[in-house]
Amino acid sequence: MTTGASTPTYPARPRRSRVRTFLPLGIAAWLVLEIWLLTVVAGAASGFAVFLLLVAGFVLGSVVIKRAGRRAFQNLNEALQRGDAPSGSGSGGNGLMMLGGLLLMIPGLLSDAVGLLLLIPPVQKAVGRYAERTFDRRIRAAAPGTLGDAFQQARMQRPDGKVVQGEVIVRDEPGGDTPRDQRPPLTR
């Protein structure tokens, strides 16, 4: 039975991104695979051997995270003592080392294997370069007014990489050569 009234039209829901669709599915598959692999190894060796393997992974992961954190703090301290801004080039592998340590601490054999791979320096360099290229590409493709655009604007520098310090002078009076109140230039 119709009343003659038109059916209300609702605005179309925005489409979910691929990451939001497949990430929960990927995490669930990873967890099932980790549990299955642990039971297979426990059946082949023993439950106690798997327990020792998990404890060793946790201890090794905590040592790696502690060492990478100390190294990052030391690099930051040295850069600040020199008076420079801390650069990403000297501490590029610290984040990946911490991620590798975290993966070692998570119980599971696949996460341990990926964590150990991230501790190898050539793998760290390759993953770091890939991540940097991907980040730069996404920043350049950012639409105006988005967060990526704000990062792009914040990164504008001279061609030699130095930030130009300057002072903005607003002239309140037309024809006046000096502003009303002189302020010293901004410094660090």
Side-chain angles (χ1 to χ4, degrees), residues 44-60:
S46 70
F48 187 68
V50 170
F51 176 73
L52 287 179
L53 221 107
L54 294 176
V55 169
F58 186 82
V59 170
L60 180 64

Side-chain angles (χ1 to χ4, degrees), residues 25 51 86 96 105-106 155 160 176:
L25 201 60
F51 176 73
L96 290 173
M105 290 178 73
I106 294 174
R155 293 178 56 192
D160 59 356

Side-chain angles (χ1 to χ4, degrees), residues 4 31 35 39 51 66 68-69 87-88 96-97 120 126-127 141 147 154 180:
L31 286 173
I35 292 169
T39 57
F51 176 73
K66 187 175 181 180
S87 65
L96 290 173
M97 278 186 72
I120 300 171
V127 170
L147 184 62
R180 272 188 254 175

Side-chain angles (χ1 to χ4, degrees), residues 8-112:
T9 58
Y10 298 107
R13 287 191 338 198
R15 198 165 162 223
R16 288 182 82 172
S17 68
R18 279 192 223 143
V19 172
R20 286 187 58 193
T21 303
F22 293 118
L23 185 66
L25 201 60
I27 290 174
W30 171 67
L31 286 173
V32 168
L33 192 59
E34 288 278 15
I35 292 169
W36 175 77
L37 193 57
L38 284 172
T39 57
V40 167
V41 171
S46 70
F48 187 68
V50 170
F51 176 73
L52 287 179
L53 221 107
L54 294 176
V55 169
F58 186 82
V59 170
L60 180 64
S62 62
V63 168
V64 166
I65 287 177
K66 187 175 181 180
R67 181 175 174 216
R70 279 186 184 166
R71 197 169 79 186
F73 186 72
Q74 184 180 13
N75 289 344
L76 174 69
N77 211 7
E78 288 173 358
L80 290 177
Q81 284 179 354
R82 285 192 310 262
D84 297 339
S87 65
S89 62
S91 61
N94 289 331
L96 290 173
M97 278 186 72
M98 286 184 185
L99 179 63
L102 180 67
L103 286 172
L104 282 170
M105 290 178 73
I106 294 174
L109 299 177
L110 288 177
S111 61
D112 287 350

Side-chain angles (χ1 to χ4, degrees), residues 153-167:
Q153 290 176 7
R155 293 178 56 192
M156 290 182 187
Q157 300 171 345
R158 281 189 4 200
D160 59 356
K162 294 182 181 175
V163 177
V164 179
Q165 290 201 6
E167 177 181 352

